[in-house]
Amino acid sequence: MMQRVLRVVLLACATVVSTAVAADVLGDAEAGKVVFDQCKGCHQVGDGAKNRIGPHLNELFGRPAAGIEGFKYSKSFRRAGASGLEWHADTLDAFLENPRSYASGTRMSFRGIKDAKDRQDVIAYLRLFSDDPANIPEADPTATATDHDLDPAILAIQGDPEYGEYLSSECTTCHQKDGGDDGIPSIVLWPEEDFVIAMHAYKNKQRQHPVMQMMAGRLNDEEIAALAAYFNRLEN
């Protein structure tokens, strides 16, 4: 049985696609900018980025393979996209290590980045140019700790997981308890404290997401703690 915890909660069918990545695989974006020099011959990223030999890499995370309309992708990438391949930290890492073995038939001549740290660094750099992950710190593709000034007494509340299960119906209408990722964030390993901090950030309008602000605004401190406890103990 695998314990699974909701990482981005009560999103109420918002279409943010995410994949869990532990914080210990975060790379150094500044170092990644240097690594990206290997990619500049074919790809652009940042303000004014355009398609060149390869597609631009803005808004990359959560994007389906072959997902830029009008760009002429190879058949292998079109097949991969049609089969459900999306770009997240894990799929990017595998692809960057050996592009040709990951997408057979690709026209890319790039042999890949063999050093794992270099791959982590360039992934962290590319993350800077995807809006949704920047707005949701726990979200795909690279989870990070969240600074907060939440009252320690709120964090100390012991949530009732049975009550949390009772409250969770709005959550599980969209978020699949088996960890599925069909256009919405997966239910994945997420500590109770992080859950509580995030929900209160939406409740206090420190994070900008109207649906999340509405949902969190309906909940009191005990209800948020109960949901955190329930999802922290959720098992398949």
Side-chain angles (χ1 to χ4, degrees):
M1 302 289 286
M2 179 181 293
Q3 186 185 43
R4 296 180 181 274
V5 182
L6 185 63
R7 181 161 55 105
V8 181
V9 295
L10 299 173
L11 202 52
C13 301
T15 57
V16 179
V17 180
S18 68
T19 299
V21 178
D24 60 0
V25 303
L26 278 171
D28 179 342
E30 284 299 316
K33 183 177 181 180
V34 177
V35 178
F36 186 73
D37 284 344
Q38 302 176 43
C39 314
K40 284 183 176 179
C42 297
H43 298 280
Q44 292 186 352
V45 69
D47 291 343
K50 298 179 181 179
N51 297 328
R52 301 185 66 184
I53 297 171
H56 73 77
L57 300 180
N58 290 342
E59 308 299 338
L60 178 62
F61 292 94
R63 189 166 84 197
I68 294 181
E69 187 175 352
F71 183 80
K72 189 174 181 180
Y73 290 96
S74 64
K75 290 182 179 179
S76 62
F77 268 108
R78 293 200 299 272
R79 285 195 300 267
S83 298
L85 174 63
E86 293 177 343
W87 295 123
H88 303 284
D90 55 348
T91 50
L92 279 168
D93 183 68
F95 176 73
L96 288 171
E97 184 176 13
N98 192 334
R100 287 189 174 277
S101 68
Y102 195 74
S104 60
T106 176
R107 295 192 298 263
M108 284 183 62
S109 59
F110 184 57
R111 294 185 177 182
I113 301 172
K114 303 308 177 186
D115 184 86
K117 183 179 184 304
D118 284 348
R119 294 196 304 273
Q120 292 166 14
D121 291 344
V122 78
I123 287 169
Y125 174 65
L126 292 172
R127 180 189 191 269
L128 300 178
F129 305 97
S130 282
D131 290 341
D132 287 337
N135 294 336
I136 306 176
E138 321 71 31
D140 176 46
T142 46
T144 61
T146 304
D147 292 334
H148 67 90
D149 56 1
L150 197 61
D151 187 342
I154 293 176
L155 292 175
I157 296 172
Q158 297 296 309
D160 179 350
E162 292 186 1
Y163 184 38
E165 182 176 14
Y166 169 76
L167 295 169
S168 69
S169 60
E170 285 188 301
C171 208
T172 55
T173 297
C174 297
H175 299 278
Q176 300 174 48
K177 291 189 290 185
D178 64 0
D181 184 5
D182 184 14
I184 54 175
S186 300
I187 295 173
V188 293
L189 298 172
W190 200 34
E192 291 179 55
E193 181 172 304
D194 290 352
F195 185 114
V196 171
I197 291 168
M199 288 301 292
H200 279 279
Y202 288 117
K203 184 180 177 74
N204 298 330
K205 295 182 169 52
Q206 294 171 312
R207 296 191 187 179
Q208 303 303 311
H209 192 294
V211 175
M212 287 295 296
Q213 290 175 354
M214 176 186 70
M215 300 298 291
R218 297 175 181 175
L219 302 169
N220 61 36
D221 296 347
E222 288 73 21
E223 289 170 335
I224 290 174
L227 283 166
Y230 168 64
F231 285 109
N232 183 255
R233 292 161 178 75
L234 187 63
E235 294 183 351
N236 282 327

